[in-house]
Amino acid sequence: MKRAAFIIPMLVLFFQLPGKIQAQTAIAYSPAIDSLISLATESTVGLRNRQLSGDTTVVAGGVTQTITTRNYLYNDIQNIAAQFVLEKFLEYGYQARYQDYSLTGRNVLAWKTGTKFPDKKYLICAHYDNMPPAALAPGADDNASGVVAVMEAARLLSGLPSEYTIEFAIWDEEEIGLFGSGAYADSAALAGKQIMGVLNFDMIAWDSNNDYKITLGTNPLSHSLTNDYQDVMKIYTPEFTWTYINIEASDHASFWHHNYPALLAIEEYPGDFNPYYHTPLDKVSNTNPAFFKRMVQASVAGLASLGWNCRMELQHQPLTPLTGTGEQSAILAVISPRPTGTGNNEPCLYFSLNGGNYQVLHADGISGNSYTFHIPAQVLGTIVNYYFAVQDEAGIIIETLPRGGKGTNPPGSTAPSANYTYMVAPDFIFSLCSNSVPKSIPVFSTVYDTIDVNFSGGIDDINVTLNIDHDRISTLNVSLIGPDGTTIDLSSDNGGTGSDFINTTFDDEALIPINNGSASFTGSYKPEQPLSSYDGKNVHGKWILKIQDDAVNQPGMLQGWCINVNSSDLSVGLKDKGISGNIFLGQNFPNPVTGLTSIPFNLCKGGMAEIDLCDLFGRKILTIASANFKSGLNIVNVDLSGLPAGTYFYRLKQAQEIKTKVLVISR
């Protein structure tokens, strides 16, 4: 990495990377790549680093020599390093050559032509020149470490075909102005070469505190490439965390200047920067071997994933919790440049009942890239977990939804840690709107408005719809406060110079984030923070809309707002769909229950009422409550910790009216 004097002003966390574009496929897991990168060990990467930094000898041109420096002022010694790398590329079976772009400047290049896209290439690269300008300059971290990543990628991928052309490059004279990479990028742009992405590695062997934090140098042009590399690290080196930086102090910048996407991977910068940088103490003994190995493995996995075109995206609209007792249709869309597996290796749906073993289903309907599965009908109270698994025809990649599963032939035999879940029962959906609007929003003030929910139930999904008249809504911060105090930011300072929220619905399942939309806001938007934070909580209580106006001259008006709730109503007897009749029985909370649970119910007329717990055959197990209750909302608490796990019914009876719910006890 060249000195700070040569870099543009640095902006750490320069931007937030956008969410994945819906049409773009993501990098998928490959068991072949996982196995391959394990061949990059501390021994293999350590030996290469020692050879390049003069800690041991190399054989170049048939002569045993020592690379004591790679500084441009010592060109004869530096050329030993170039020759050593070139001969290794040739030994691995690549086409390789020098690129001499000046009297002293020499790049080393090797390549493998793509089987499907020979004219489109991905590069992995690093600079091999170093500092200080002295006869003794080991440069183990800066940047023998990056060169090792390039050489290990070449070694491990040598016998394997690649759909895209992949190229391995080590650059000269990075330290004095990015001259080597600049010469290559200039020539590529002039010739109209199609460079799909550049992975540049610079200083990847230092981690003083073993926190595995790294930095990614990227720009808006390189968002897609950066997302791909992040996918790779999440799959193969999940211990890494990273921040972003916009910096032109390494060779990726030469490609930015010609509108090629390029990414820099570097140890944490500037937070944990190598103190031996550009000194004779930048030696192998001052590196972190375990961290270095994982950085190299990530680099190999990155190039292989891109070159092999390891892409697949699975799309599915999750089955709504409490969807009903019948057979459930689950539709999966598969987006991939690779043909999917067939026969026993075709896309699968795995499902389990009440935490039991997974069973596998194959699609019974295929239309284009969409697969339809039918989960069998189940009894009320059944908890169904499920996930999807797809592999390509060659068995190179495997993807599950949710992500994280593994196993091929058939795909997905190892389940992901997360899955989709729904409980078999009817829906209870209601919408409640404020009755205290319209309400003015004075300038530079905070306004609150409340919707009071006077019955109980577990929340499965909640959306918010609102109408606000305001000439400049970017001055508004709108949030929802739940009965337990949980506050969710719906929209903060969005909308630019636009006006008004017009029938705007905040919905976690919406496609467009509110901060990516434009005013006037109409339709559905994803809130700034997920409303799913309320899932599983009791809907009962006060829901408060908070509107904060930051402007001093822009008054407005809250015209109306509503909450739309999908709640855990598990009616199995009289299938009431709201608060109707003389009594209303709410869902116990929590449900499933392990011990204590609360049962809410509403009586239109006070008096004697009884709540009994029954088994699936309708036999009474115990009387939960039998007493005179007041009219309106009542809540009884019961400890069920002494009962076996299973599905039960609880029944509210007053006079001749009966309401029944299902209750699940889990252990």
Side-chain angles (χ1 to χ4, degrees), residues 180-490:
S181 59
Y184 179 96
D186 291 346
S187 298
L190 186 63
K193 298 295 185 182
Q194 298 184 70
I195 299 176
M196 309 301 292
V198 177
L199 300 178
N200 177 43
F201 295 91
D202 197 344
M203 302 182 66
I204 58 171
W206 173 266
D207 183 18
S208 67
N209 53 9
N210 292 303
D211 62 2
Y212 284 79
K213 291 182 179 178
I214 69 170
T215 298
L216 300 178
T218 186
N219 68 351
L221 173 70
S222 308
H223 280 186
S224 179
L225 179 67
T226 304
N227 280 334
D228 285 342
Y229 195 69
Q230 289 176 148
D231 280 343
V232 168
M233 290 190 291
K234 290 173 185 176
I235 293 170
Y236 300 104
T237 53
E239 66 269 39
F240 285 142
T241 59
W242 50 86
T243 55
Y244 308 105
I245 194 170
N246 184 296
I247 188 173
E248 294 196 0
S250 191
D251 292 297
H252 60 286
S254 297
F255 296 89
W256 288 358
H257 297 161
H258 291 287
N259 293 318
Y260 289 127
L263 173 71
L264 166 68
I266 187 173
E267 59 214 26
E268 186 183 4
Y269 180 77
D272 187 16
F273 195 60
N274 192 333
Y276 305 116
Y277 167 73
H278 285 190
T279 75
L281 292 178
D282 184 6
K283 301 185 296 184
V284 171
S285 58
N286 287 325
T287 62
N288 184 326
F291 172 83
F292 180 27
K293 176 195 72 174
R294 293 298 272 164
M295 286 291 280
V296 171
Q297 289 177 340
S299 71
V300 177
L303 182 64
S305 296
L306 294 169
W308 294 3
N309 209 10
C310 294
R311 297 183 182 278
M312 183 178 289
E313 181 174 302
L314 308 184
Q315 296 179 351
H316 168 63
Q317 180 65 47
L319 296 178
T320 306
L322 317 174
T323 63
T325 60
E327 182 180 74
Q328 301 300 325
S329 296
I331 300 174
L332 175 72
V334 180
I335 303 171
S336 177
R338 291 175 167 269
T340 57
T342 57
N344 289 333
N345 299 330
E346 69 182 10
C348 302
L349 181 151
Y350 293 83
F351 74 97
S352 71
L353 307 176
N354 298 320
N357 294 330
Y358 279 105
Q359 306 172 53
V360 63
L361 294 175
H362 292 287
D364 47 20
I366 303 175
S367 177
N369 69 335
S370 293
Y371 297 78
T372 301
F373 304 84
H374 288 96
I375 301 175
Q378 304 296 331
V379 300
L380 288 167
T382 303
I383 298 173
V384 180
N385 299 316
Y386 69 99
Y387 69 93
F388 300 94
V390 182
Q391 72 178 58
D392 69 320
E393 193 172 50
I396 297 295
I397 60 174
I398 160 71
E399 184 66 285
T400 62
L401 188 68
R403 304 191 78 180
K406 296 182 179 180
T408 55
N409 304 321
S413 53
T414 300
S417 58
N419 52 48
Y420 295 112
T421 301
Y422 67 89
M423 180 180 285
V424 179
D427 285 337
F428 172 45
I429 302 172
F430 64 88
S431 179
L432 293 177
C433 300
S434 170
N435 56 13
S436 56
V437 289
K439 183 174 288 186
S440 64
I441 306 172
V443 298
F444 208 64
S445 65
T446 301
V447 173
Y448 299 89
D449 194 70
T450 301
I451 294 174
D452 200 347
V453 179
N454 61 4
F455 54 90
S456 294
I459 297 171
D460 296 313
D461 187 51
I462 185 168
N463 302 325
V464 179
T465 301
L466 56 82
N467 285 277
I468 296 177
D469 294 339
H470 200 282
D471 289 340
R472 194 181 183 93
I473 58 173
S474 62
T475 66
L476 298 183
N477 300 319
V478 183
S479 54
L480 180 68
I481 305 172
D484 67 344
T486 299
T487 300
I488 299 300
D489 292 335
L490 302 176

Side-chain angles (χ1 to χ4, degrees), residues 550-607:
D550 296 334
V552 295
N553 58 357
Q554 301 283 349
M557 182 72 69
L558 171 62
Q559 296 290 0
W561 71 287
C562 305
I563 57 172
N564 312 294
V565 182
N566 188 331
S567 182
S568 301
D569 184 306
L570 305 178
S571 302
V572 295
L574 300 175
K575 295 183 180 179
D576 53 307
K577 282 295 183 180
I579 304 177
S580 58
N582 294 317
I583 64 175
F584 168 77
L585 178 60
Q587 182 60 48
N588 69 299
F589 185 84
N591 188 50
V593 60
T594 57
L596 287 171
T597 192
S598 299
I599 299 175
F601 60 97
N602 197 87
L603 304 178
C604 289
K605 182 185 296 185

Side-chain angles (χ1 to χ4, degrees), residues 46-56 66-71 74 77-78 81 127-148 175 203 205 274 276-287:
L47 174 60
R48 285 286 177 263
N49 201 318
R50 292 178 60 213
Q51 290 172 322
L52 290 165
S53 60
D55 192 60
T56 190
T66 302
I67 304 170
T68 58
T69 183
R70 302 186 307 278
N71 186 266
Y74 296 84
I77 303 175
Q78 185 192 30
H127 74 89
Y128 73 102
D129 65 310
N130 73 344
M131 297 291 274
L136 181 63
D141 187 29
D142 187 18
N143 183 37
S145 64
V147 177
V148 171
E175 297 288 6
M203 302 182 66
N274 192 333
Y276 305 116
Y277 167 73
H278 285 190
T279 75
L281 292 178
D282 184 6
K283 301 185 296 184
V284 171
S285 58
N286 287 325
T287 62

Side-chain angles (χ1 to χ4, degrees), residues 582-640:
N582 294 317
I583 64 175
F584 168 77
L585 178 60
Q587 182 60 48
N588 69 299
F589 185 84
N591 188 50
V593 60
T594 57
L596 287 171
T597 192
S598 299
I599 299 175
F601 60 97
N602 197 87
L603 304 178
C604 289
K605 182 185 296 185
M608 187 67 184
E610 183 174 299
I611 301 177
D612 297 321
L613 184 70
C614 304
D615 64 15
L616 288 174
F617 298 99
R619 297 174 298 202
K620 185 166 73 172
I621 303 298
L622 63 87
T623 297
I624 295 174
S626 181
N628 283 299
F629 293 96
K630 63 181 177 63
S631 62
L633 177 67
N634 296 270
I635 298 177
V636 296
N637 299 311
V638 59
D639 186 355
L640 302 177

